[in-house]
């Protein structure tokens, strides 16, 4: 009894209020508010869907327009390219010829000039008698030495020189080192014939720096 008296304390001077609305009315009002919010949310969803659809359509139209423009540009380029078909064919033929020239002369050595240079290294009163040239070709690799101290070579020049006196072979070998493409050189036999003249055989190897490179393209 004491507890109830405390819970139901009488307020003196307070404003008297009476809620005569039935509970069903309150529930109906709350339901209207919920329905209103749901309707507003559904409306926003519809607006967002319509906006997203419109944006996707706009992007698709823009992509289609860009594709049409690129196709038109491609067609224009193809039509312009047809005007220069003959020029392209001629350019391809020129390129093919130039490539063939480079391949065909890739192992070329100006032997006339080279032998003139060899002749210039000879001591006085010494002349070349025989010359034998063995060089690489564009279609076959030159045989390389098997000895570890011998350098790479692309040609072998074997020659015999005739001298009225005993030639100074070491000095001649030193002079050969000034030739372009010199790899190494070694003396062979030194013989004397019935007239008293001497014949000296020399074997010289030449490396790739002796190539003429007539059709070499700079920078390619």
């Amino acid at each position: 009894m004491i507890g109830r008296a405390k819970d139901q304390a009488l307020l003196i001077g307070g404003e008297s209020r009476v809620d005569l609305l039935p509970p069903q009315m309150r529930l109906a009002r709350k339901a209207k508010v919920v329905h209103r919010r749901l309707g507003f949310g559904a409306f926003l969803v519809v607006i967002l869907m319509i906006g997203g659809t419109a944006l996707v359509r706009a992007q698709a139209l823009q992509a289609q327009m860009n594709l049409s423009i690129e196709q038109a540009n491609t067609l224009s380029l193809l039509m312009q390219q047809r005007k220069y078909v003959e020029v392209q064919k001629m350019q391809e033929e020129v390129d093919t010829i130039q490539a063939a020239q480079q391949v065909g002369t890739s192992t070329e050595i100006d032997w006339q000039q080279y032998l003139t240079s060899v002749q210039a290294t000879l001591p006085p009163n010494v002349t070349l008698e025989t010359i034998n040239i063995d060089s690489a070709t564009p279609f076959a690799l030159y045989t390389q030495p098997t000895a570890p101290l011998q350098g790479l070579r692309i040609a072998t020049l074997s020659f015999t020189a005739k001298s009225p006196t005993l030639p100074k072979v070491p000095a001649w070998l030193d002079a050969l080192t000034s030739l372009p493409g010199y790899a190494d050189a070694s003396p062979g036999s030194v013989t004397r014939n019935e007239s008293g003249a001497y014949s000296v055989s020399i074997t010289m190897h030449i490396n790739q720096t002796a190539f003429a490179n007539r059709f070499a393209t700079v920078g390619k």
Side-chain angles (χ1 to χ4, degrees):
M1 293 299 291
I2 296 174
R4 290 183 180 179
K6 290 182 179 180
D7 294 338
Q8 298 177 358
L10 180 63
L11 297 176
I12 300 174
E15 184 180 355
S16 60
R17 293 182 181 180
V18 178
D19 188 2
L20 301 177
L21 289 176
Q24 291 81 0
M25 293 293 292
R26 292 194 197 90
L27 294 176
R29 287 181 179 180
K30 291 181 180 180
K32 287 182 180 181
V33 174
V34 173
H35 289 162
R36 225 182 280 120
R37 291 177 179 177
L38 290 176
F40 183 72
F43 177 75
L44 288 179
V45 171
V46 172
I47 293 298
L48 291 175
M49 292 180 62
I50 293 174
T53 304
L55 180 61
V56 171
R57 287 183 178 178
Q59 292 178 348
L61 290 175
Q62 185 64 37
Q64 186 65 33
M65 291 178 61
N66 293 337
L67 178 61
S68 300
I69 293 173
E70 293 299 328
Q71 288 177 343
N73 292 335
T74 303
L75 182 60
S76 177
L77 291 175
L78 290 175
M79 293 180 65
Q80 293 178 11
Q81 188 178 10
R82 291 178 182 177
K83 299 179 182 179
Y84 304 100
V85 171
E86 296 299 328
V87 177
Q88 290 179 350
K89 289 182 179 180
M90 292 181 61
Q91 184 62 47
E92 290 176 357
E93 292 178 359
V94 170
D95 293 341
T96 302
I97 293 174
Q98 290 178 348
Q101 288 175 338
Q102 293 179 15
V103 173
T105 61
S106 60
T107 58
E108 180 185 31
I109 299 176
D110 188 351
W111 287 114
Q112 182 177 0
Q113 180 180 358
Y114 202 87
L115 293 177
T116 301
S117 300
V118 172
Q119 180 70 40
T121 64
L122 295 176
N125 301 324
V126 178
T127 57
L128 291 176
E129 272 191 316
T130 61
I131 299 173
N132 185 26
I133 298 173
D134 181 23
S135 61
T137 67
F139 309 103
L141 296 176
Y142 196 73
T143 303
Q144 298 301 313
T146 56
L149 297 180
Q150 293 182 350
L152 300 178
R153 72 280 306 267
I154 50 89
T156 300
L157 182 62
S158 302
F159 46 85
T160 303
K162 183 178 180 182
S163 174
T165 59
L166 184 63
K168 298 180 180 179
V169 177
W172 187 13
L173 293 176
D174 290 339
L176 290 175
T177 60
S178 63
L179 295 176
Y182 172 87
D184 58 66
S186 58
S189 60
V190 178
T191 60
R192 184 181 181 183
N193 57 22
E194 297 178 355
S195 62
Y198 292 88
S199 294
V200 182
S201 61
I202 299 290
T203 300
M204 176 181 173
H205 296 121
I206 303 171
N207 58 35
Q208 60 185 3
T209 57
F211 285 149
N213 296 321
R214 283 194 301 149
F215 299 101
T217 303
V218 179
K220 294 187 178 179

